[in-house]
Amino acid sequence: MKRPKIPHVVAVCALAAALGLSSASGSSDTASTPGTAAAPQAAEPAAAGGEHWVHTWAAMPQLTEPENMPPPPFTADDAVLADTTLRQTVHVTTGGDQIRLRFSNAFGDVPLTLDAVSVALPLDGAAGTDAVEPGSVQQVTFSGRAGTTIPMGAQVVSDPLDLDLAPSSNLTVTVYLEEGLPSQNLTSHPGSRTTSYLLAGNHTDAQSLPGATPVDHWYLLSGVEAWSSGRTSAVAVLGDSLTDGRGSTTNGNDRWPDQLLERLQSRPATSDVAVLNQAAGGNRVLNDGLGPNALARLDRDVFAHSGVEWLIVFEGINDIGTAEATPEAQERVAADLIAAYEQIIIRAHAQGIPVYGATLLPFGGNDLYDDPSGNREAARQTVNEWIRTSGAFDAVIDFDRVVRDPEQPDRLLPHLHDGDWLHLNPEGYGELAAAVPDRLFR
């Protein structure tokens, strides 16, 4: 895959700045204004403009916490998901005429066998439904076989199958596990904001699952790829719960990356950009929390994904919020975050991937993160100032600027958060999506 040369990217940014546009080294007053951030020029994502595989959906794998395990009887002392059909829907971004699936056993300590897998189109195109369109079920194979075993810590990719997958549509994936996982170390993405279904027995070809148990989690499925035109490429987003969508609508697909996708899809120049949400609630840049830290998962969640041409980094608030609220601890975490961003940029540039930095949002009024001394807020301001002015990022997306209260800049606008003064509601996520200039992906 041909990649843009980073020195050329820097030159483009410098030229844009000279023309009065805002880049990473520009004024903090204009850095996030839609249509003003400097845009690196992406090279053709495939040699000779040929078709290629591009991830159209992804979810960050993590170890399932006890409270997010499948409910009984689907979790037992000796196995998880034994004799179980798992049906889940995902919202893809770009389309194609062939797809293949990726399943992860990243946190498994024993091999995991998938005995049967199918895909279908959900009934009426809906998210979070157990019903599929009649006649749309197709069996998935792995090296020509109906099932596969995933070694511990590994992932598997299915064989390609013909499916006319429309952009910005929903896809149903159904899995049957006869023996289940003989361990409690289940790989999942708990913050799905989408309803999945569990039912005893093999129902991979069923049109609906009456009596199934609903759970708002994804299990095992970590990616969907589409065979795409040479123009199609993906932007990956490293983030935490603010990108994972806490406060968004269950089965509504109105997180900020979803709303960004809607805008990109509405414009011919960006309709071939896939958006990959690689975020998890509680995730941190520097230390493991809910899932591996961002530095540890960068290769797995960004560089190993097909078609990724850009990276947005919007993470760090959990590092600040979980560090002690002392001046020394907050000065240290701010410095460590800046050093970590530099590492992410270096590693992405080595892959020819431009990196866009997003400023961190205020959390004043939040019971857990707001401290009376203001040391955490000072750390946030230090980090945001560096993001805006250092010139290290290829462009800056100033999320802080568009959702903070002008009268109280350490707080979110009251009508944009979900009640905890930390996470946003769908309207707030819409403001973030609108702050991302589409020219960054042309």
Side-chain angles (χ1 to χ4, degrees):
M1 182 180 297
K2 184 179 179 183
R3 298 288 191 183
K5 295 180 180 179
I6 293 304
H8 173 66
V9 170
V10 174
V12 171
C13 290
L15 175 60
L19 293 174
L21 300 177
S22 172
S23 72
S25 58
S27 159
S28 62
D29 292 335
T30 59
S32 68
T33 304
T36 63
Q41 293 184 354
E44 286 297 318
E51 292 181 310
H52 63 147
W53 289 106
V54 177
H55 265 81
T56 181
W57 175 85
M60 177 193 136
Q62 61 191 96
L63 179 65
T64 311
E65 312 96 318
E67 64 271 20
N68 291 323
M69 293 290 284
F74 304 104
T75 293
D77 291 339
D78 57 345
V80 179
L81 300 177
D83 188 31
T84 299
T85 292
L86 163 65
R87 176 165 287 178
Q88 35 202 357
T89 59
V90 299
H91 189 66
V92 303
T93 58
T94 50
D97 56 13
Q98 280 189 320
I99 66 167
R100 60 189 188 189
L101 309 177
R102 293 195 179 207
F103 292 91
S104 176
N105 191 24
F107 296 92
D109 55 354
V110 292
L112 168 69
T113 297
L114 310 179
D115 295 280
V117 178
S118 69
V119 297
L121 301 178
L123 188 65
D124 299 324
T129 178
D130 72 298
V132 301
E133 291 288 348
S136 69
V137 176
Q138 294 191 56
Q139 297 303 309
V140 178
T141 59
F142 303 84
S143 300
R145 296 175 294 182
T148 187
T149 296
I150 313 173
M152 55 185 293
Q155 68 169 307
V156 296
V157 183
S158 76
D159 298 333
L161 66 141
D162 294 333
L163 180 69
D164 188 9
L165 187 65
S168 195
S169 64
N170 293 308
L171 176 72
T172 299
V173 178
T174 308
V175 181
Y176 173 67
L177 302 90
E178 183 175 2
E179 300 297 329
L181 178 71
S183 166
Q184 303 293 306
N185 290 332
L186 180 66
T187 301
S188 70
H189 187 88
S192 64
R193 275 83 200 179
T194 306
T195 305
S196 302
Y197 295 87
L198 302 168
L199 186 63
N202 184 351
H203 306 279
T204 52
D205 59 353
Q207 186 174 330
S208 64
L209 302 180
T213 299
V215 289
D216 289 341
H217 311 299
W218 286 314
Y219 299 109
L220 307 178
L221 184 66
S222 64
V224 178
E225 296 172 279
W227 187 245
S228 308
S229 75
R231 286 174 44 86
T232 305
S233 50
V235 53
V237 185
L238 275 181
D240 49 37
S241 56
L242 287 161
T243 298
D244 204 29
R246 179 169 173 177
S248 64
T249 308
T250 299
N251 299 318
N253 290 309
D254 51 17
R255 314 163 189 84
W256 75 261
D258 300 318
Q259 297 190 56
L260 172 62
L261 172 70
E262 291 179 9
R263 198 178 86 242
L264 296 178
Q265 284 288 315
S266 71
R267 302 180 182 185
T270 55
S271 62
D272 51 8
V273 177
V275 181
L276 305 182
N277 188 334
Q278 294 288 40
N283 198 243
R284 293 186 288 183
V285 174
L286 303 170
N287 297 293
D288 290 0
L290 296 182
N293 65 79
L295 289 173
R297 65 187 182 90
L298 187 61
D299 291 279
R300 184 197 70 183
D301 293 345
V302 180
F303 305 148
H305 280 64
S306 55
V308 172
E309 292 291 330
W310 307 278
L311 171 61
I312 295 174
V313 178
F314 177 40
E315 189 165 4
I317 207 66
N318 290 326
D319 297 84
I320 293 172
T322 57
E324 286 187 87
T326 63
E328 297 77 16
Q330 289 301 313
E331 288 172 7
R332 183 168 57 253
V333 76
D336 288 347
L337 276 173
I338 289 169
Y341 295 147
E342 290 176 324
Q343 286 293 308
I344 291 171
I345 293 165
I346 289 169
R347 290 168 60 187
H349 282 183
Q351 302 293 324
I353 298 175
V355 187
Y356 307 143
T359 51
L360 304 181
L361 306 191
F363 47 78
N366 179 262
D367 291 340
L368 293 177
Y369 285 4
D370 191 12
D371 63 295
S373 60
N375 291 319
R376 289 182 174 137
E377 172 63 12
R380 186 183 75 90
Q381 292 291 351
T382 297
V383 170
N384 279 352
E385 180 68 11
W386 183 87
I387 291 172
R388 292 183 178 114
T389 65
S390 68
F393 285 107
D394 296 291
V396 168
I397 304 167
D398 204 340
F399 283 162
D400 169 56
R401 181 176 178 268
V402 298
V403 296
R404 71 189 180 204
D405 187 340
E407 302 299 321
Q408 294 180 287
D410 66 333
R411 290 180 175 242
L412 297 166
L413 284 163
H415 67 285
L416 296 182
H417 70 85
D418 74 342
D420 68 357
W421 295 96
L422 176 64
H423 300 95
L424 302 179
N425 56 30
E427 182 182 358
Y429 288 128
E431 293 294 330
L432 298 190
V436 183
D438 64 344
R439 67 171 57 205
L440 294 176
F441 313 114
R442 293 179 185 171

